[in-house]
Amino acid sequence: MKKIFLLLALLASSIFAVEGKEMVVYKSPYCGCCTKWIDLMKKEGFNVKTVMLNNVNEIKSKVGLTSKTSSCHTAIVDGYFVEGHVDYSAVKKMLNEKPDILGITVPGMPIGSPGMEQGDVKEAYNILYVNKDGTTGIYEKH
């Protein structure tokens, strides 16, 4: 019985890990796909604060992103960056596991990624993690 209670408590904590969690998203005022991604994160339970910037590259550089790891918008949540059209599954996984990384990114803007939907068209893409030394690896494949 004790094991079942512990399992249920663990499951509940992972399900509600993002509920009401604050996320700050830096974006250009002219980017509509960013707004779609923000709406998806709100739907998943994040309390999103949007900051409009004419030059989003300053925040990208500040958090450790490069031209090879950048996309259109940069979110900050629990001290991590979430760059571009990252799936909710990867954000949730990162917040639950708390890896020793700077953040996760989907470089570029792949068709079919969250906020970049184009009907049934979906390009294969990887969500990368960025280590503190700038090296990257695959966090999730989509």
Side-chain angles (χ1 to χ4, degrees), residues 14-26:
S14 68
I15 290 171
F16 299 109
V18 299
E19 190 64 40
K21 194 169 285 288
E22 183 163 316
M23 176 185 279
V24 179
V25 180
Y26 299 90

Side-chain angles (χ1 to χ4, degrees), residues 42-56:
K42 286 178 180 178
K43 183 178 174 186
E44 293 296 346
F46 285 100
N47 177 17
V48 180
K49 176 184 175 195
T50 305
V51 178
M52 302 291 189
L53 296 174
N54 286 321
N55 184 2
V56 291

Side-chain angles (χ1 to χ4, degrees), residues 65 68-70 81-83 86 90 94 101-108 125-131 134-142:
L65 288 157
K68 290 182 180 180
T69 56
S70 291
F81 66 72
V82 178
E83 177 70 4
V86 175
M94 179 181 68
I101 60 174
L102 292 175
I104 53 180
T105 180
V106 173
Y125 63 95
N126 294 323
I127 297 172
L128 306 178
Y129 62 84
V130 179
N131 288 313
T135 58
T136 62
I138 296 174
Y139 196 68
E140 280 188 3
K141 292 183 176 201
H142 289 266

Side-chain angles (χ1 to χ4, degrees), residues 79-98:
Y80 294 103
F81 66 72
V82 178
E83 177 70 4
H85 297 273
V86 175
D87 288 67
Y88 168 73
S89 62
V91 178
K92 180 181 172 185
K93 177 181 167 184
M94 179 181 68
L95 294 176
N96 284 329
E97 295 179 355
K98 301 189 185 322

